[in-house]
Structure formats: structure tokens, C-alpha cells
Amino acid sequence: MQRRTYALIDGNVLENNVKEIISKYPSYKYYFGVVKNNAYHHGIRIVKDLIKGGVNYLCVSSLEEALQVRKYDSRIPVLILEPISLDLIDDAINNKFTITIDSIDYVNKLLEHDLFNTLKIHLAVDSGMHRIGYTKAKELSDSYKLLSENKNILVEGVYTHFGTNGITDPYYNNQIKRFLDITSGIDLESIPIVHLNRSMTLVKHPKLEIENGVRLGIIMYGFSQSTKLQGGIKGFINKFKLERKQKKYNITNVILENDLKLNTAFSLYSEVISVRKVNKDELVGYGINKLMEDGYIATLPIGYADGVDKSFKYVYLNNKKCKIVGDSMDMLMVFSIDKPSIGDKVEIFGDNISINEVKNNTHLSSYHIFNNISNRVLRIHKNGDKKEEINY
Ligand SMILES: Cc1ncc(COP(=O)(O)O)c(C=O)c1O
């Protein structure tokens, strides 16, 4: 290990998270693990833990990401969520990847291609997010017909992606309706896999009868998405506002709280590489950060290029929370009343500073916090006592 900054990824935690989700939501046949962008930056090696937990399909963004999965598992089906360039079709076939198709133009071009072996495809429906997917029932049914006639194409799935969670907005229900309209020209029951929900919508709504697959993203990484309304006057007002919106949009059956027991698997550490004594009123770092008392500055080899800056507010050093008083591209400066030593371990988040605390301090979502931790931060994968460095 070179730079003393690393993320520790706990594989057992991820495996148990998946087991817990499946045990509480057992009615699906296909549990897709969404592992885009290096498994939400946990390192693609974790696909082995997710598979042990029970995930039986994976989703990635691109062919390159799908190839990364194949380094760790040669058999699991992998769905590429973005339509890929037609020059990559041979690679998709050779590696048994499933591709997304989202327009009749794509189908026509694909059918000109020499499909030398079976190609599995999932049809994407645009139910309202307007990112990718079919918008017209006729184009979808024509595509389905054309694809089904080709002996080397297996239309294995149909899916959509929801833009909202539907707790206080009418769009979740509208999007289901639009999905049903756009797929009305095909027999959904004849399609092996129908998948609509993602983490948040899985836990907030009853299971949809038409679907037998669900795409698990942030929930697998430790976020149950349970919403507990606070007590007191604030809670009362929030409940009132929520119920007013639900009544307005005729929203019923939303499940706010769930009892999923999940844990985050990603902790981040650095260490002290320089120490200096400083006095009250001295300035630190870029900009004017005036010190309020005498103490020490501990410098850490992690900065905003690694995805961590002053907005994180605190780190955990020698059993205390210490304030981040300066940041830069590669280093953070932390204030400590007690004298730290070179080599002292520092937790950026983990057992003592939770990701939820970082979320509150930075106003970033968990998706952004993980995805911002750059690839130059070494990932160490842990499974029980076994530790393994992961190279990107
Ligand atoms: C198509 C698709 N499905 C599922 C997911 C997973 O979403 P989440 O992490 O909210 O479960 C994503 C993530 O961006 C996605 O793009």
C-alpha cells in the first residue's frame, strides 16, 4: 500500500444486506444487483458478496463495466442499462451480456447485424423519466415482433425506471399506468422478466403484480430507506403536510417505515502525515480560516480530488472528533487540541462518524458521497479476517 488513505469495504456486510432484503421481500424471482460505477464505488469485486447473498442478475451502465464483472464471475447474467453502440454487439454476445433496446431504429440496425449466437435483450420503456426507452406502444410491439422472429434473439425482459418515489407525488402511479399503456401491445406474461422497481420504490409500495424482478441499488449498500416521522410539533406538521399531499393525489398504501436491518459496508480512513503547533488567531489553508484556540494542525493525505472536503466538517482522530479547518486538492488540515503523531490513524467516516452524519453535514446524498470517493483511493476488501487490496 502506498498512499495512506484507503476505503475499507466489508463484504460480509453486503452479503448480509442482500440476504436481509430478500428475506423481507421474498416474492421476486429475479434480484438484480445494480453495480454501476464500480458498484457505487465499493469496488466491483463485491459482486461475489452480492451473489453469495442471493442476487441472481447484475446491472451495469456499459460494456466496459460488464467486462469488469466477468473478472469476478463468469456466469452471472449481466444487463447493460444503456443502449450500447452496435459495434460492440459481438462482445456482448461473446460474453453473454444482456443488452437494453429502447427504440425501433436500434432494432432495425441490430437486425442488419450478423448475430452469430444468442443475444439476450431487455426492452426499456420510458414511463415518464424521459431518459431512455420506448414512448409508443406500436413501436414497442413492432420491435417485439421483429426481435421475436429472429432465432438468435431472446427477448428476455421488459423494464422501466421510475423518476420519483411516489410518496407524496402522483407520478409513481402515473408511470405505472404509462408503462402498462406502452406495453399494451405485447403479452407481458410471456416475457420471462418484468422489472420496474428500484430500492426506494420497492420498500415504499406494495409489490406490483406484473413484476417478478426488482433492481436493488443503494439499499444493498446499507440504506433501508425507512422514513420515521419525528415526534413533537415538527413531526406533527410534517405528517399533516404528507397526508394533505397524499389525499390531494389520491395516494394510498404507501409504506413509510420498514424494519430492514442493514449496515453500510464502506468506511474511509487516512493518517496523519504532518503535524505543526499553531496559535489562536493564526490562519490556516486556502482562504481565511482563523483558529479560535491554540493547538495542532494534523495534515492528512486526502482532499477534494479524493471526494472529501471541508464540508465533511469532522474527522475522528485519537478518540475525538476533530474539525477540518482547511482543505485542498490532495490534503486536509485538521485541528486538534492534543498533539497528534505522524502515522496516527484517522477515520473520515466509519464506526465513529456515520455516513448519515456526513450526509447531514455535506447536504449530499449517499449516492454522491460514495461516487465522489475517487478511484485513486485504494479499496481494501475485507471478508472476516481476510483482507485484499483491489486495484482498478
Ligand atoms: C435503471 C436503473 N435501475 C436501478 C437503479 C438503482 O437505483 P437505486 O440505487 O435507487 O436503487 C439505477 C440507478 O441509478 C438505474 O439507473
Coordinates of all heavy atoms in Angstrom, one line a residue, residues 18 30-36 39-40 44 47 50-51 54-60 69 76-79 81 214-217 220-221:
V18 N -28.0 -8.2 1.4 CA -28.8 -8.8 0.4 C -29.7 -9.9 1.0 O -30.9 -10.0 0.7 CB -27.9 -9.4 -0.7 CG1 -28.7 -10.1 -1.8 CG2 -27.1 -8.2 -1.4
Y30 N -36.3 -12.6 -9.6 CA -35.0 -12.0 -10.0 C -34.7 -10.8 -9.2 O -35.4 -9.9 -9.1 CB -35.1 -11.6 -11.5 CG -35.3 -12.8 -12.4 CD1 -36.6 -13.1 -12.8 CD2 -34.3 -13.6 -12.8 CE1 -36.8 -14.2 -13.6 CE2 -34.5 -14.7 -13.6 CZ -35.8 -15.0 -14.0 OH -36.0 -16.1 -14.8
Y31 N -33.5 -10.9 -8.5 CA -33.0 -9.8 -7.7 C -31.8 -9.3 -8.5 O -30.7 -10.0 -8.5 CB -32.6 -10.3 -6.3 CG -33.8 -10.7 -5.5 CD1 -34.3 -12.0 -5.6 CD2 -34.5 -9.8 -4.8 CE1 -35.5 -12.4 -4.9 CE2 -35.7 -10.1 -4.0 CZ -36.1 -11.4 -4.1 OH -37.3 -11.8 -3.4
F32 N -31.9 -8.2 -9.1 CA -30.8 -7.5 -9.8 C -30.0 -6.7 -8.9 O -30.6 -5.9 -8.1 CB -31.4 -6.6 -10.9 CG -32.1 -7.2 -12.1 CD1 -33.4 -7.6 -11.9 CD2 -31.5 -7.4 -13.3 CE1 -34.1 -8.2 -13.0 CE2 -32.1 -8.0 -14.4 CZ -33.5 -8.4 -14.2
G33 N -28.7 -6.9 -8.9 CA -27.8 -6.0 -8.1 C -27.3 -5.0 -9.0 O -26.6 -5.3 -10.0
V34 N -27.6 -3.7 -8.7 CA -27.1 -2.6 -9.6 C -25.6 -2.3 -9.1 O -25.4 -1.9 -8.0 CB -28.0 -1.4 -9.5 CG1 -27.5 -0.3 -10.5 CG2 -29.4 -1.8 -9.9
V35 N -24.7 -2.6 -10.0 CA -23.3 -2.4 -9.6 C -22.6 -1.4 -10.6 O -21.4 -1.6 -11.0 CB -22.5 -3.7 -9.6 CG1 -23.0 -4.6 -8.4 CG2 -22.7 -4.5 -10.9
K36 N -23.3 -0.4 -11.1 CA -22.7 0.6 -12.0 C -21.6 1.3 -11.2 O -21.6 1.4 -10.0 CB -23.7 1.7 -12.4 CG -25.1 1.3 -12.4 CD -25.9 2.3 -13.2 CE -26.6 3.4 -12.4 NZ -27.6 4.1 -13.2
A39 N -19.6 -0.6 -8.7 CA -20.5 -1.0 -7.6 C -20.7 0.2 -6.6 O -20.3 0.1 -5.4 CB -20.0 -2.2 -6.8
Y40 N -21.2 1.3 -7.1 CA -21.4 2.5 -6.4 C -20.0 2.9 -5.6 O -20.0 3.3 -4.5 CB -22.5 2.4 -5.4 CG -23.9 2.4 -6.0 CD1 -24.2 1.9 -7.2 CD2 -25.0 3.0 -5.3 CE1 -25.4 1.8 -7.8 CE2 -26.3 3.0 -5.9 CZ -26.5 2.4 -7.1 OH -27.8 2.4 -7.6
I44 N -15.8 -3.4 -7.8 CA -16.6 -4.4 -8.4 C -16.4 -5.8 -7.9 O -17.2 -6.6 -8.0 CB -16.4 -4.3 -10.0 CG1 -17.6 -4.9 -10.7 CG2 -15.1 -5.0 -10.4 CD1 -18.8 -4.1 -10.7
V47 N -19.1 -8.0 -6.2 CA -20.2 -8.8 -6.9 C -20.2 -10.2 -6.3 O -21.3 -10.8 -6.2 CB -20.1 -8.8 -8.4 CG1 -20.3 -7.4 -9.0 CG2 -18.8 -9.5 -8.9
L50 N -22.4 -10.1 -3.2 CA -23.8 -9.9 -3.6 C -24.4 -11.2 -4.1 O -25.5 -11.6 -3.7 CB -24.0 -8.8 -4.6 CG -23.4 -7.4 -4.3 CD1 -23.6 -6.4 -5.4 CD2 -24.0 -6.8 -3.0
I51 N -23.6 -11.9 -4.9 CA -24.1 -13.2 -5.4 C -24.3 -14.2 -4.3 O -25.3 -14.9 -4.2 CB -23.1 -13.7 -6.5 CG1 -23.2 -12.7 -7.7 CG2 -23.5 -15.1 -6.9 CD1 -22.0 -12.9 -8.7
G54 N -27.5 -13.7 -2.6 CA -28.7 -14.1 -3.3 C -29.0 -13.3 -4.6 O -30.0 -13.6 -5.2
V55 N -28.2 -12.3 -4.9 CA -28.5 -11.6 -6.1 C -28.3 -12.5 -7.3 O -27.3 -13.3 -7.3 CB -27.5 -10.4 -6.2 CG1 -27.2 -10.0 -7.6 CG2 -28.1 -9.2 -5.4
N56 N -29.2 -12.6 -8.3 CA -29.0 -13.5 -9.4 C -29.0 -12.9 -10.7 O -29.1 -13.6 -11.8 CB -30.1 -14.6 -9.3 CG -31.5 -14.1 -9.3 OD1 -31.7 -12.9 -9.4 ND2 -32.5 -14.9 -9.0
Y57 N -28.8 -11.6 -10.8 CA -28.6 -10.9 -12.0 C -27.9 -9.6 -11.7 O -28.1 -9.1 -10.5 CB -30.0 -10.5 -12.7 CG -30.1 -10.7 -14.2 CD1 -31.0 -11.5 -14.7 CD2 -29.3 -9.9 -15.0 CE1 -31.2 -11.7 -16.1 CE2 -29.4 -10.0 -16.4 CZ -30.3 -10.9 -17.0 OH -30.4 -11.0 -18.3
L58 N -27.1 -9.0 -12.5 CA -26.4 -7.8 -12.2 C -26.8 -6.7 -13.3 O -27.0 -7.1 -14.4 CB -24.9 -8.0 -12.1 CG -24.4 -8.8 -11.0 CD1 -22.9 -9.1 -11.2 CD2 -24.7 -8.2 -9.6
C59 N -26.7 -5.5 -12.9 CA -26.9 -4.4 -13.9 C -25.7 -3.4 -13.8 O -25.3 -3.1 -12.7 CB -28.1 -3.5 -13.5 SG -29.7 -4.3 -13.5
V60 N -25.3 -3.1 -15.0 CA -24.1 -2.1 -15.1 C -24.5 -1.1 -16.2 O -25.6 -1.2 -16.8 CB -22.8 -2.8 -15.6 CG1 -22.4 -3.8 -14.5 CG2 -23.0 -3.5 -16.9
V69 N -17.1 -7.0 -14.4 CA -17.8 -8.1 -13.7 C -17.3 -9.5 -14.0 O -17.1 -10.3 -13.1 CB -19.4 -8.0 -14.0 CG1 -20.1 -9.2 -13.4 CG2 -20.0 -6.7 -13.4
I76 N -22.8 -15.2 -14.1 CA -24.0 -14.4 -13.7 C -24.5 -13.6 -14.9 O -23.7 -13.0 -15.6 CB -23.7 -13.5 -12.5 CG1 -24.9 -12.7 -12.0 CG2 -22.6 -12.5 -12.7 CD1 -25.4 -13.1 -10.7
P77 N -25.8 -13.6 -15.1 CA -26.2 -12.7 -16.2 C -26.1 -11.2 -15.9 O -26.2 -10.9 -14.7 CB -27.7 -13.1 -16.4 CG -28.1 -14.0 -15.2 CD -26.8 -14.4 -14.5
V78 N -25.7 -10.5 -16.9 CA -25.4 -9.0 -16.6 C -26.2 -8.2 -17.6 O -26.0 -8.4 -18.9 CB -23.9 -8.7 -16.8 CG1 -23.6 -7.3 -16.5 CG2 -23.0 -9.6 -16.0
L79 N -27.0 -7.3 -17.1 CA -27.8 -6.4 -18.0 C -27.1 -5.1 -18.1 O -26.8 -4.5 -17.1 CB -29.2 -6.2 -17.4 CG -30.0 -5.1 -18.1 CD1 -30.4 -5.4 -19.5 CD2 -31.4 -4.9 -17.3
L81 N -27.4 -1.4 -18.9 CA -28.6 -0.5 -18.8 C -28.7 0.6 -19.9 O -29.7 1.2 -20.1 CB -28.7 0.2 -17.4 CG -29.0 -0.8 -16.2 CD1 -28.7 -0.1 -14.9 CD2 -30.4 -1.4 -16.3
V214 N -36.7 -7.1 -9.4 CA -36.5 -5.8 -8.8 C -35.1 -5.5 -8.9 O -34.2 -6.3 -8.7 CB -37.1 -5.8 -7.3 CG1 -36.4 -6.8 -6.5 CG2 -36.9 -4.4 -6.7
R215 N -34.8 -4.2 -9.1 CA -33.4 -3.7 -9.2 C -33.0 -3.1 -7.9 O -33.5 -2.1 -7.5 CB -33.2 -2.8 -10.4 CG -33.5 -3.4 -11.8 CD -33.1 -2.5 -12.9 NE -33.8 -1.2 -12.8 CZ -35.1 -1.0 -13.1 NH1 -35.8 -1.9 -13.7 NH2 -35.5 0.2 -13.0
L216 N -32.0 -3.7 -7.2 CA -31.6 -3.2 -5.9 C -30.3 -2.4 -6.1 O -29.3 -2.9 -6.6 CB -31.3 -4.4 -5.0 CG -32.3 -5.5 -4.9 CD1 -31.8 -6.7 -4.1 CD2 -33.6 -4.9 -4.2
G217 N -30.4 -1.2 -5.7 CA -29.2 -0.3 -5.8 C -28.7 0.1 -4.4 O -28.3 -0.8 -3.6
M220 N -28.8 -2.1 -1.1 CA -27.9 -3.2 -0.8 C -26.6 -2.6 -0.1 O -25.9 -3.3 0.6 CB -27.3 -3.8 -2.1 CG -28.3 -4.5 -3.0 SD -27.4 -5.3 -4.4 CE -26.4 -3.9 -5.1
Y221 N -26.4 -1.3 -0.4 CA -25.2 -0.7 0.2 C -25.4 -0.2 1.6 O -24.6 0.5 2.2 CB -24.6 0.4 -0.7 CG -24.3 -0.2 -2.1 CD1 -25.2 0.0 -3.2 CD2 -23.2 -0.9 -2.3 CE1 -24.9 -0.5 -4.5 CE2 -22.9 -1.5 -3.6 CZ -23.8 -1.3 -4.6 OH -23.5 -1.8 -5.9

